[in-house]
Amino acid sequence: MIKKFIRKILGVKSPAEAAAAKRKPTVLNAKEHGIDPQLLSSNAIRVTSTLQENGFKAFVVGGAVRDLLLGVKPKDFDIATNATPDQIKRLFRRAFIIGKRFQIVHVMFGQDLLEVTTFRGAAVDSAPKDEHGRVLRDNTFGEQFEDAARRDFTINAMYYDPATQSVLDYHGGIADIRKKTLRIIGVPEERYREDPVRMLRVVRFAAKLQFTIDEATRAPIPVMAPLINNVPTARVFDEMLKLLMSGHAMACLQQLRKAGLHHGLMPLLDVVLEQPMGERFVTLALANTDERIRQGKPVSPGFLFASLLWHQVVEKWDAYKAAGEFAIPALHLAADDVLNKQTDSLALQRKIGSDMRDIWAMQPRFEKRVGKTPYKMLEHPRLRAGYDFLLLRCASGELDAELGEWWTAFMEGDGEQREHLLTVKPKDTGVVKKRPPRRRAPRKPVAE
Ligand code: ATP
Ligand code: MG
């Protein structure tokens, strides 16, 4: 009785009241949430209205609602509905059921893909878990309020109905958007244990949205960070890629460090964050990537990882050369070493690995500015990536800027200009850093 009275005075909800409140969302109308309907894609509206016309509930959900509330055009639209995957599939001409464990439906309109998901049910204690508590499978359908409770952060758990223009908010997401706060839904330790990738996600969102991480959400991260090691490497790699290609890679890496997630977690991160020699190069590469993404230009993961690991390659390349190997085979050996090590730990896909190798292997060839070599380089299918990489090496001070300028002129020049460039004597080989001299095998005295 007294407790109830104190709660009433303080405006604090009892656990039962809190649970009941989460069954019923706060509903905001267009005036209250201020979403600009122009930011919505017509295909998202097509999907929600088709489902609704057929008697189902359907909403835009997750990151798209968050972005709409922030006045940002979402890059993709996810839809949540109470229709089952089969029911969804029947309503669209090009719809494909994806996934074995928890089925979702991909609805395609031309190139545009929308992910349509049936509301997920509450996590059940009996769901299979690994020995650290990570949920391996849970594929029950459920009510909308249960779907909301299973999402990661309050700002990612809102639903928008384009027909009524209302936002349904189950976990105080609107308030957190206004406070620019990232808050995990439920008990943070439990949620990280269920899925440790959420620790990487919170860091990515904090950097990307420039939000602060709520103290209770942030506090367990340094302690629970090692749980990420038990997540399949392919999934961690996907999340890392999202992080590095978010347009805020530098900020993300700084956040990772701040959250205590940078150490001993991912071999690649150790390399990136703790190599003093390549710091300038990596910083430039990431700044360059962020800029390209913000300008809407494509970024290849191969180029990105080739940059992140370049100084490891250089170190090994120098070592092989010092041991008497010729420059080109030494570079290939160094690339093999680095790729083999990272492929195991990072689940680097084969395609990304071969792009990286191409970019690295082109580098010494840029230093040959005579004869047919430069013309052959012009025909190389990966010339652009190799050249961008060369410019990065120049900008970082590894090579003389003159080499990059020569290549810019050669690539842009006409036949005559190119011929002239080939006769220009380079100021030097372009190499700034002093490389150890190749060790020659000592001449054996000739036997008499
Ligand atoms: P982005 O802008 O990076 O796409 P997003 O929030 O849309 O951000 P997605 O990975 O596309 O992120 O996920 C869509 C939604 O699914 C999220 O907004 C969230 O509600 C839910 N979600 C995704 N991953 C998890 C997770 N690991 N745990 C709980 N909910 C998740
Ligand atoms: Mg998304």
Side-chain angles (χ1 to χ4, degrees):
M1 188 67 191
I2 293 175
K3 262 193 197 163
K4 208 170 161 189
F5 178 70
I6 294 174
R7 274 199 210 106
K8 204 167 168 192
I9 291 192
L10 296 177
V12 179
K13 291 189 180 104
S14 74
E17 278 171 329
K22 283 169 192 163
R23 284 174 165 261
K24 279 207 177 300
T26 306
V27 182
L28 289 99
N29 64 30
K31 234 178 165 175
E32 289 163 321
H33 59 64
I35 287 178
D36 173 4
Q38 303 271 345
L39 294 175
L40 232 72
S41 93
S42 55
N43 290 333
I45 300 173
R46 243 157 109 178
V47 174
T48 51
S49 58
T50 305
L51 284 159
Q52 288 168 352
E53 280 155 19
N54 284 276
F56 299 109
K57 286 186 181 179
F59 300 87
V60 173
V61 69
V65 184
R66 175 197 73 217
D67 290 348
L68 287 169
L69 286 164
L70 291 169
V72 176
K73 195 170 176 63
K75 63 176 165 41
D76 45 41
F77 287 85
D78 295 331
I79 311 292
T81 175
N82 62 349
T84 64
D86 286 324
Q87 289 170 326
I88 302 164
K89 187 173 156 60
R90 260 179 256 136
L91 296 177
F92 301 95
R93 205 164 58 81
R94 291 176 63 217
F96 311 93
I97 297 184
I98 308 288
K100 279 198 199 109
R101 295 203 300 255
F102 188 88
Q103 296 185 325
I104 56 173
V105 184
H106 280 176
V107 176
M108 309 276 308
F109 299 105
Q111 288 294 303
D112 197 11
L113 182 149
L114 290 100
E115 220 169 85
V116 187
T117 313
T118 310
F119 294 142
R120 286 198 184 196
V124 281
D125 285 344
S126 57
K129 301 189 183 84
D130 73 4
E131 72 266 33
H132 306 282
R134 186 169 65 87
V135 176
L136 298 173
R137 262 193 315 281
D138 51 352
N139 41 4
T140 48
F141 298 139
E143 298 289 326
Q144 187 168 2
F145 77 88
E146 295 173 309
D147 185 87
R150 298 195 31 163
R151 294 182 178 272
D152 45 10
F153 306 104
T154 59
I155 60 165
N156 281 348
M158 288 180 275
Y159 301 79
Y160 179 67
D161 178 355
T164 59
Q165 290 191 27
S166 48
V167 167
L168 275 63
D169 177 10
Y170 287 87
H171 294 279
I174 289 271
D176 283 338
I177 287 251
R178 292 187 179 143
K179 278 187 281 184
K180 293 187 173 288
T181 299
L182 273 152
R183 189 188 316 275
I184 202 159
I185 296 171
V187 180
E189 287 83 353
E190 280 172 22
R191 303 303 310 281
Y192 293 139
R193 198 171 294 284
E194 277 170 13
D195 182 6
V197 167
R198 290 173 185 149
M199 293 186 262
L200 294 175
R201 287 175 61 84
V202 75
V203 164
R204 172 161 64 90
F205 291 130
K208 184 173 140 179
L209 306 171
Q210 292 175 309
F211 274 34
T212 32
I213 305 175
D214 164 65
E215 183 51 28
T217 299
R218 195 196 53 76
I221 296 180
V223 185
M224 301 190 77
L227 288 179
I228 296 180
N229 291 324
N230 310 313
V231 177
T233 43
R235 190 149 176 251
V236 176
F237 179 76
D238 282 351
E239 195 51 43
M240 282 290 300
L241 203 55
K242 277 195 189 177
L243 199 139
L244 293 168
M245 312 256 279
S246 64
H248 303 266
M250 273 311 289
C252 280
L253 293 185
Q254 280 152 5
Q255 276 283 348
L256 280 176
R257 215 194 268 260
K258 215 169 129 194
L261 270 176
H262 64 295
H263 209 83
L265 269 183
M266 284 156 270
L268 176 80
L269 268 191
D270 286 345
V271 175
V272 175
L273 296 168
E274 271 143 46
Q275 52 171 354
M277 188 175 129
E279 201 181 321
R280 185 164 158 69
F281 188 83
V282 164
T283 308
L284 273 170
L286 290 177
N288 191 22
T289 307
D290 284 350
E291 189 52 36
R292 284 184 71 92
I293 291 182
R294 287 183 212 184
Q295 289 175 0
K297 291 186 188 162
V299 170
S300 88
F303 187 90
L304 185 60
F305 285 108
S307 326
L308 296 181
L309 296 172
W310 172 240
H311 273 263
Q312 261 200 347
V313 174
V314 170
E315 216 172 281
K316 289 187 192 289
W317 188 17
D318 285 345
Y320 277 116
K321 281 190 290 190
E325 201 55 77
F326 284 104
I328 306 272
L331 177 58
H332 284 277
L333 288 169
D336 282 345
D337 284 358
V338 172
L339 282 174
N340 287 341
K341 185 161 165 238
Q342 295 292 337
T343 326
D344 293 343
S345 48
L346 251 184
L348 268 182
Q349 288 113 334
R350 212 180 283 266
K351 167 83 176 79
I352 298 183
S354 86
D355 286 354
M356 292 162 73
R357 190 187 295 278
D358 278 355
I359 291 169
W360 292 335
M362 285 167 87
Q363 298 309 307
R365 297 173 64 190
F366 282 117
E367 288 175 32
K368 286 208 172 129
R369 286 185 270 172
V370 285
K372 294 205 175 80
T373 312
Y375 286 107
K376 277 200 205 130
M377 288 292 276
L378 290 183
E379 287 159 24
H380 197 294
R382 313 269 305 140
L383 172 70
R384 193 76 218 177
Y387 162 76
D388 283 345
F389 199 83
L390 176 78
L391 293 187
L392 214 52
R393 293 174 67 208
C394 292
S396 76
E398 182 194 337
L399 294 177
D400 196 315
E402 188 259 347
L403 183 62
E405 286 156 15
W406 189 94
W407 271 97
T408 307
F410 190 74
M411 283 163 66
E412 288 170 0
D414 59 21
E416 207 175 306
Q417 286 162 328
R418 283 179 181 164
E419 279 307 305
H420 172 70
L421 279 164
L422 286 174
T423 62
V424 173
K425 206 159 168 46
K427 271 189 247 155
D428 56 28
T429 55
V431 180
V432 167
K433 203 176 58 175
K434 200 140 177 55
R435 298 203 185 281
R438 192 186 311 142
R439 209 183 64 203
R440 287 183 190 278
R443 280 225 171 151
K444 283 201 190 115
V446 185
E448 296 277 299

